[in-house]
C-alpha cells in the first residue's frame, strides 16, 4: 500500500474517535447554551447554526474566534464567571470542524498530499497530547485541593475555577488538528483569515475604548485616575487583561500597514493604527508600554534590514524617517510645554505644512512615504497629548520604585504557597492561587465574598460579606448589577436584610463602566440584628443627578451593595431599585434565577486574585513541570519563527513580535488567569509551531 493510501486508512481508522470528540464538543456546547442565564433558547439555536456553519466553511473559525474574542463575553449581565459566550463559539468551531473531518475525506486528501506528513505524524500527536495532559493534571490537582463541586455561579475561590483556567489548554489541544488541516490546505489563506480576525478584534477594542474615554473621564482628560478596561470584564478584580491583549494584537496593526496594497487599504490600516495607539496609551500601564513598544521597534528594525537587501537607499530613508520622527516629537513636546494644547496645535499645523510642501516639491515622493510621515506625526501627537497632557501617567512613573518593592513582596508570598515537593513539581492546581493566597498569606485576605443561599425552599437570597479582619479593605467588594440611568432626581432602594451582627451596608447607583465611578448617588444603612429575623429597609440615595450621557457616548449605570464592616455577612433579598420617575430598573432582585444579572466587583485591593507574573503563575499552579514545558514550547516557537524569517515568511516577524510582547507584559502581569487571553496566546503559539512544516513563503 502506498503512503497516501496508508495515511487515508489511518485517518479512517481514527473516525470513531473523531465522532466521539464531535459528540462531546457539541453536547457540551448544547448543555452550556441551554443553561445560559439570560437567553437559553436563542443561544441553543445560535450554537446549532454555528456548528453547521463551521462544518460548511471550516476555515471561518480562524477569523471568527480572534475577531469575536475581545467582545463576546457578557458576564457582567449574565453573572457567569466560569463560562461565557466565547465558550459556545469555540465549542461550536471545534464540533463543526471535527464533524467535517469525520464525515468528509477533504482533510484526508490534504494530509495525504503532503509528502512529509508521515514523518511528522508523531509530533502531530505529541504536542496536543502534551497540552491536554498538562491541562488535565492541573485540573485534577485543583479539584483535589478544592473538592469536587460545581455550581453555575461559582467564583474564583470555588472548585470550578480550576475548570475555568484549564479551558484554554483543552480548547487549543482540540483545535490543533483543524489548524494543521487549514495550514496544509492553504497556508496563505489560513494566515490571511487569522490576521484579519486579529485586526477586526483590535478595531473593536479601539472603538470600545474610544467610547469609554468619551463617556466617562472625557477624551482629553488625562489627569483623572482612570484606566480603560474595554470589554475585558475580567479586570473586575484587577489584572492586566487589556494590556496583554494589546501586546498580542498590536503587531497585527503594523502588519495591516505593511501588507496594504491600495490607498484605501492603507487608509483603513492607518485608522486602525490610530485607534490602537490611543488604546495603548490610555491604559496608562508601564508594562503595556514596554510590551507594545519594544516588539514594534524590533519589528521596524527587522523590516528596514530586509529592505537593505533589495533597496540600497533604505538606510538613507531610515535615517531620514528617524530624524523626522525625533524632530517632530521634540518640537511638539517643546510647543506643548510652552503653550499647552494651543502650542501643540500650531506645531502640528507647521509640521503638516512641511509634509504637504515636501509632497508637492518632491514629485517623485511616493504617496506611501508622505502618508507614513503623516501617520507618524499623528501617533506622536497622540503620545504627547496623553502622556504630557495630564498628571496621571507622571504620578504612575513617580511611584514605580515603591510599586516594584510591593510587587517583589507579593511574589515572595506567592512562591511561599508551594509547601511540598509535590507542589514544586506539579503545582497547587489550576485556579487555586486565589483561595490559597487569601487563606495563607498575611493581609492577603479577600476584601469580600458573596454566595447564593436558600434560607427556605421558597426564599432565595445572597450572603454578602466584607473582609474577615482588615478594616481598610471594608467596602472594597461589591455585589453589582447594570442598570439604566434616568435623570431627574434621587433613586430609591428597598430590600430585605438579615444579619446576626451589627453591620454597615453601602448602597449606590453610579455612572460606571467597570472599575471607576464617575458620579454616584448613595446611602449608608446601619443594620441592627432583630433576632435573626428579616427586616425591610427603604432608603433614598443622595448625590448629584445622574447623567445618561450623549447619544454618541451613552453611559452605563451600576447599582452596587457593599458591606462596610469586617467579619460579618449580610443576607440580602427582594432588592428593588426605582428611578426618579418610579421605574424599577433591577432584574432578578429576588434571586429566583440565581445570580443571573448580578456581578462581583473588587476595588483597589487585588493581591489575592493575581500573582502579577506569568512565570510564577505557571510555577505556582502548574509546577516546575508546567513551567519547563511552557518555556520549551516558547523557545521552540521562536526557533521556528527565526527559520521562517530566514525563508522570508513575511508573517513570521509579526507572530514573533506578538509572542514577545506577551512575554514582556507577563514579566509584571498575570496572563493565564484570563482564559480568553491565554487561549489567544496559545493559538498564536501553535500557529508559530506549524511553520517548521512549511517550506513555502507566506504572503498574506
Amino acid at each position: 500500500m502506498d503512503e497516501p493510501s496508508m495515511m487515508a486508512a489511518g485517518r479512517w481508522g481514527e473516525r470513531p474517535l473523531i465522532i466521539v470528540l464531535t459528540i462531546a464538543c457539541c453536547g457540551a456546547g448544547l448543555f452550556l447554551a441551554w443553561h445560559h442565564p439570560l437567553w437559553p433558547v436563542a443561544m441553543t439555536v445560535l450554537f446549532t447554526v454555528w456548528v453547521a456553519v463551521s462544518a460548511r466553511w471550516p476555515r471561518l473559525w480562524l477569523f471568527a474566534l480572534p475577531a469575536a474574542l475581545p467582545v463576546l463575553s457578557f458576564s457582567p449581565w449574565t453573572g457567569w464567571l466560569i463560562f461565557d459566550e466565547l465558550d459556545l463559539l469555540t465549542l461550536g468551531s471545534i464540533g463543526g470542524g471535527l464533524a467535517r473531518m469525520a464525515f468528509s475525506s477533504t482533510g484526508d486528501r490534504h494530509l495525504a498530499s503532503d509528502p512529509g506528513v508521515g514523518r511528522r505524524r508523531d509530533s502531530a500527536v505529541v504536542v496536543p497530547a502534551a497540552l491536554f495532559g498538562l491541562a488535565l493534571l492541573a485540573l485534577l490537582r485543583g479539584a483535589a485541593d478544592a473538592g469536587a463541586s460545581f455550581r453555575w455561579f461559582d467564583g474564583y475561590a470555588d472548585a470550578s475555577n480550576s475548570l475555568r483556567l484549564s479551558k484554554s489548554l483543552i480548547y487549543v489541544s482540540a483545535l490543533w488538528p483543524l489548524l494543521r488541516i487549514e495550514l496544509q490546505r492553504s497556508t496563505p489563506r489560513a494566515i490571511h483569515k487569522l490576521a484579519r480576525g486579529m485586526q477586526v478584534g483590535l478595531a473593536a477594542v479601539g472603538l470600545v475604548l474610544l467610547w469609554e474615554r468619551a463617556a466617562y473621564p472625557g477624551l482629553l482628560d488625562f489627569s483623572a485616575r482612570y484606566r480603560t478596561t474595554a470589554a475585558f470584564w475580567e479586570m473586575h478584580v484587577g489584572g492586566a487583561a487589556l494590556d496583554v491583549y494589546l501586546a498580542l494584537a498590536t503587531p497585527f496593526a503594523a502588519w495591516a500597514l505593511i501588507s496594504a496594497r491600495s490607498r484605501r487599504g492603507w487608509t483603513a490600516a492607518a485608522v486602525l493604527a490610530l485607534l490602537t495607539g490611543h488604546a495603548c496609551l490610555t491604559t496608562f500601564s508601564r508594562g503595556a508600554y514596554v510590551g507594545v513598544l519594544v516588539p514594534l521597534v524590533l519589528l521596524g528594525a527587522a523590516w528596514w534590514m530586509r529592505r537593505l537587501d533589495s533597496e540600497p537607499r533604505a538606510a538613507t530613508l531610515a535615517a531620514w524617517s528617524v530624524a523626522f520622527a525625533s524632530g517632530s516629537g521634540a518640537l511638539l513636546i517643546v510647543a506643548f510645554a510652552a503653550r499647552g494644547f494651543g502650542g501643540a496645535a500650531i506645531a502640528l499645523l507647521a509640521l503638516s505644512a512641511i509634509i504637504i510642501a515636501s509632497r508637492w516639491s518632491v514629485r517623485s515622493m511616493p504617496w506611501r512615504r508622505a502618508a507614513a510621515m503623516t501617520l507618524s506625526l499623528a501617533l506622536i501627537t497622540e503620545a504627547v497629548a496623553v502622556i504630557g497632557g495630564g498628571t496621571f501617567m507622571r504620578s504612575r512613573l513617580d511611584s514605580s520604585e515603591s510599586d516594584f518593592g510591593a510587587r517583589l513582596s507579593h511574589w515572595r508570598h506567592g512562591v511561599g504557597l508551594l509547601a511540598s515537593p509535590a507542589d514544586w513539581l506539579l503545582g497547587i492546581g489550576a485556579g487555586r492561587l486565589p483561595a490559597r493566597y487569601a487563606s495563607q498569606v498575611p493581609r492577603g485576605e479577600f476584601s469580600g465574598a458573596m454566595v447564593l443561599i436558600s434560607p427556605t425552599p421558597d426564599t432565595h437570597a445572597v450572603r454578602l460579606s466584607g473582609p474577615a479582619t482588615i478594616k481598610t479593605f471594608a467596602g472594597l467588594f461589591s455585589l453589582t448589577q447594570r442598570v439604566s440611568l434616568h435623570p431627574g432626581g434621587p433613586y430609591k432602594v428597598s430590600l430585605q436584610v438579615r444579619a446576626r451582627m451589627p453591620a454597615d451596608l453601602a448602597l449606590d447607583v453610579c455612572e460606571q463602566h467597570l472599575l471607576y465611578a464617575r458620579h454616584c448617588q448613595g446611602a449608608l444603612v446601619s443594620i441592627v440584628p432583630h433576632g435573626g429575623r428579616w427586616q425591610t429597609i427603604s432608603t433614598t440615595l443622595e448625590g448629584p443627578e445622574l447623567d445618561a450621557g450623549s447619544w454618541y457616548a451613552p453611559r452605563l449605570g451600576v447599582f452596587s451593595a457593599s458591606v462596610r464592616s469586617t467579619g460579618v455577612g449580610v443576607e440580602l433579598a427582594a432588592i428593588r431599585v426605582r428611578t426618579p420617575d418610579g421605574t424599577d430598573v433591577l432584574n432578578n432582585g429576588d434571586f429566583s434565577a440565581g445570580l443571573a444579572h448580578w456581578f462581583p466587583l473588587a476595588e483597589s485591593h487585588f493581591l489575592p486574585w493575581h500573582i502579577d507574573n506569568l512565570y510564577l503563575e505557571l510555577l505556582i499552579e502548574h509546577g516546575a513541570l508546567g513551567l519547563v514545558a511552557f518555556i520549551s514550547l516558547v523557545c521552540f516557537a521562536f526557533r521556528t519563527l527565526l527559520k521562517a524569517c530566514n525563508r522570508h515568511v513575511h508573517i513570521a516577524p509579526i507572530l514573533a513580535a506578538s509572542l514577545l510582547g506577551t512575554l514582556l507584559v507577563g514579566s509584571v502581569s498575570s496572563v493565564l488567569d484570563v482564559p480568553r487571553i491565554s487561549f489567544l496566546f496559545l493559538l498564536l503559539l501553535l500557529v508559530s509551531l506549524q511553520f517548521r512544516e512549511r517550506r513555502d513563503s507566506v504572503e498574506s
Side-chain angles (χ1 to χ4, degrees):
M1 184 181 293
D2 58 10
E3 185 176 5
S5 300
M6 292 175 62
M7 284 301 307
R11 296 277 301 181
W12 281 99
E14 295 171 359
R15 172 173 284 190
L17 176 60
I18 296 175
I19 292 175
V20 170
L21 293 175
T22 302
I23 294 173
C25 289
C26 294
L30 288 171
F31 183 71
L32 286 181
W34 187 248
H35 286 86
H36 192 275
L38 303 185
W39 315 296
V41 176
M43 286 297 167
T44 301
V45 172
L46 289 174
F47 176 79
T48 305
V49 171
W50 176 244
V51 170
V53 169
S54 299
R56 174 60 181 84
W57 292 282
R59 191 181 294 122
L60 187 58
W61 70 269
L62 281 167
F63 170 83
L65 286 180
L69 182 142
V71 294
L72 191 62
S73 182
F74 304 118
S75 291
W77 289 268
T78 64
W80 268 0
L81 297 180
I82 307 301
F83 303 106
D84 59 20
E85 291 71 20
L86 188 66
D87 290 298
L88 299 176
L89 187 71
T90 307
L91 287 169
S93 301
I94 298 171
L98 291 177
R100 184 180 180 90
M101 287 179 61
F103 299 105
S104 171
S105 60
T106 305
D108 297 330
R109 290 198 303 269
H110 286 284
L111 288 175
S113 64
D114 188 344
V117 79
R119 295 188 299 271
R120 297 189 299 264
R121 188 171 179 81
D122 291 340
S123 65
V125 175
V126 168
V127 173
L131 291 175
F132 183 79
L134 287 173
L136 184 61
L137 177 62
L139 176 60
L140 292 176
R141 284 189 63 80
D145 182 68
S149 66
F150 174 80
R151 295 179 298 271
W152 285 109
F153 296 101
D154 275 345
Y156 299 133
D158 298 311
S160 301
N161 196 44
S162 297
L163 176 60
R164 184 180 77 90
L165 296 194
S166 300
K167 291 185 301 182
S168 300
L169 280 171
I170 295 173
Y171 287 157
V172 296
S173 301
L175 283 170
W176 175 278
L178 304 181
L179 177 63
R180 284 172 56 84
I181 287 176
E182 295 309 321
L183 288 173
Q184 289 163 355
R185 177 181 289 123
S186 175
T187 301
R189 290 183 181 180
I191 293 298
H192 179 82
K193 289 285 186 183
L194 178 67
R196 286 291 179 262
M198 293 293 297
Q199 291 156 6
V200 169
L202 185 57
V205 169
L207 292 173
V208 171
L209 288 176
L210 202 63
W211 157 78
E212 185 181 354
R213 295 289 308 180
Y216 294 97
L219 278 176
L220 298 179
D221 186 353
F222 304 118
S223 295
R225 298 186 64 82
Y226 190 101
R227 294 179 62 190
T228 47
T229 58
F232 291 102
W233 61 263
E234 295 90 345
M235 297 176 72
H236 70 134
V237 290
L242 177 60
D243 303 353
V244 180
Y245 176 79
L246 290 174
L248 271 170
T250 298
F252 288 89
W255 175 240
L257 289 168
I258 295 172
S259 61
R261 296 291 180 262
S262 65
R263 298 192 182 191
R264 182 179 300 178
W266 197 94
T267 301
V271 172
L272 176 61
L274 290 172
L275 285 173
T276 304
H278 175 264
C280 294
L281 288 166
T282 54
T283 62
F284 294 103
S285 168
R286 294 152 294 187
Y289 289 177
V290 172
V292 169
L293 187 59
V294 170
L296 287 182
V297 170
L298 295 176
L299 189 62
W303 185 65
W304 280 111
M305 289 178 65
R306 177 175 294 178
R307 289 194 61 185
L308 282 173
D309 296 335
S310 58
E311 187 176 347
R313 295 179 58 208
T316 303
L317 294 175
W320 275 109
S321 300
V322 172
F324 174 78
S326 303
S328 300
L331 179 61
L332 284 168
I333 291 172
V334 171
F336 185 85
R339 297 293 181 180
F341 281 108
I346 294 173
L348 184 61
L349 289 174
L351 290 169
S352 301
I354 292 174
I355 294 175
I356 294 173
S358 300
R359 172 67 173 154
W360 283 103
S361 61
V362 184
R363 297 290 182 177
S364 60
M365 177 183 286
W367 68 267
R368 286 182 70 115
R369 191 172 303 161
M373 292 171 65
T374 304
L375 177 60
S376 300
L377 185 59
L379 291 171
I380 293 170
T381 303
E382 277 189 339
V384 171
V386 173
I387 298 175
T391 60
F392 185 29
M393 190 62 214
R394 291 198 294 272
S395 67
R396 287 184 57 77
L397 291 174
D398 292 340
S399 63
S400 296
E401 186 175 349
S402 60
D403 288 350
F404 185 68
R407 200 171 297 249
L408 284 176
S409 177
H410 182 42
W411 291 344
R412 285 195 294 268
H413 287 312
V415 174
L417 299 177
L418 301 172
S420 68
D423 289 345
W424 280 95
L425 179 63
L426 304 176
I428 63 175
R432 297 309 299 157
L433 172 64
R436 287 277 196 100
Y437 194 99
S439 63
Q440 298 179 19
V441 175
R443 297 186 64 84
E445 65 188 62
F446 291 123
S447 53
M450 67 180 196
V451 61
L452 190 67
I453 60 174
S454 297
T456 67
D458 299 326
T459 305
H460 303 278
V462 65
R463 181 182 293 114
L464 181 65
S465 306
T469 60
I470 303 175
K471 190 170 182 57
T472 54
F473 295 167
L476 298 183
F477 183 88
S478 303
L479 173 69
T480 72
Q481 184 176 140
R482 268 58 180 165
V483 297
S484 57
L485 295 175
H486 294 253
Y491 281 69
K492 296 181 180 180
V493 179
S494 64
L495 69 161
Q496 293 182 356
V497 300
R498 184 170 68 173
R500 303 188 184 280
M501 298 173 57
D504 291 332
L505 181 68
L507 304 171
D508 297 277
V509 174
C510 300
E511 302 168 7
Q512 186 173 346
H513 172 48
L514 188 65
L515 291 177
Y516 305 95
R518 184 175 180 269
H519 293 141
C520 293
Q521 294 181 6
L524 185 64
V525 179
S526 296
I527 300 179
V528 179
H530 281 249
R533 297 189 303 271
W534 289 97
Q535 51 185 306
T536 300
I537 293 177
S538 298
T539 185
T540 299
L541 306 184
E542 298 179 355
E545 183 174 316
L546 301 182
D547 185 0
S550 56
W551 63 269
Y552 60 87
R555 296 190 184 100
L556 302 176
V558 172
F559 165 74
S560 64
S562 60
V563 176
R564 298 286 180 90
S565 307
T566 60
V568 60
V570 177
E571 297 177 8
L572 309 177
I575 307 176
R576 296 186 64 189
V577 177
R578 293 187 298 278
T579 64
D581 60 7
T583 304
D584 192 348
V585 293
L586 215 58
N587 293 295
N588 189 31
D590 60 357
F591 302 102
S592 58
L595 290 175
H597 295 283
W598 295 99
F599 190 65
L601 179 68
E603 301 176 50
S604 302
H605 174 62
F606 304 129
L607 294 183
W609 285 282
H610 316 279
I611 197 59
D612 291 330
N613 186 285
L614 166 62
Y615 313 100
L616 291 181
E617 187 179 24
L618 281 161
L619 176 63
I620 294 169
E621 293 197 340
H622 295 263
L625 179 63
L627 178 60
V628 170
F630 174 80
I631 293 175
S632 301
L633 200 62
V634 168
C635 291
F636 191 50
F638 276 113
R639 178 173 175 268
T640 302
L641 291 173
L642 179 61
K643 290 183 177 180
C645 290
N646 294 333
R647 298 198 309 270
H648 301 292
V649 178
H650 300 299
I651 194 66
I654 303 299
L655 290 168
S658 179
L659 298 180
L660 176 61
T662 304
L663 297 175
L664 289 173
V665 177
S667 64
V668 291
S669 302
S670 295
V671 175
L672 302 181
D673 59 356
V674 183
R676 49 179 168 161
I677 297 297
S678 60
F679 168 78
L680 184 60
F681 174 75
L682 291 169
L683 178 63
L684 295 179
L685 193 63
L686 291 191
V687 172
S688 302
L689 291 171
Q690 296 293 327
F691 283 117
R692 72 189 182 90
E693 304 179 356
R694 307 302 302 167
R695 299 302 181 202
D696 53 334
S697 176
V698 179
E699 302 278 357
S700 53

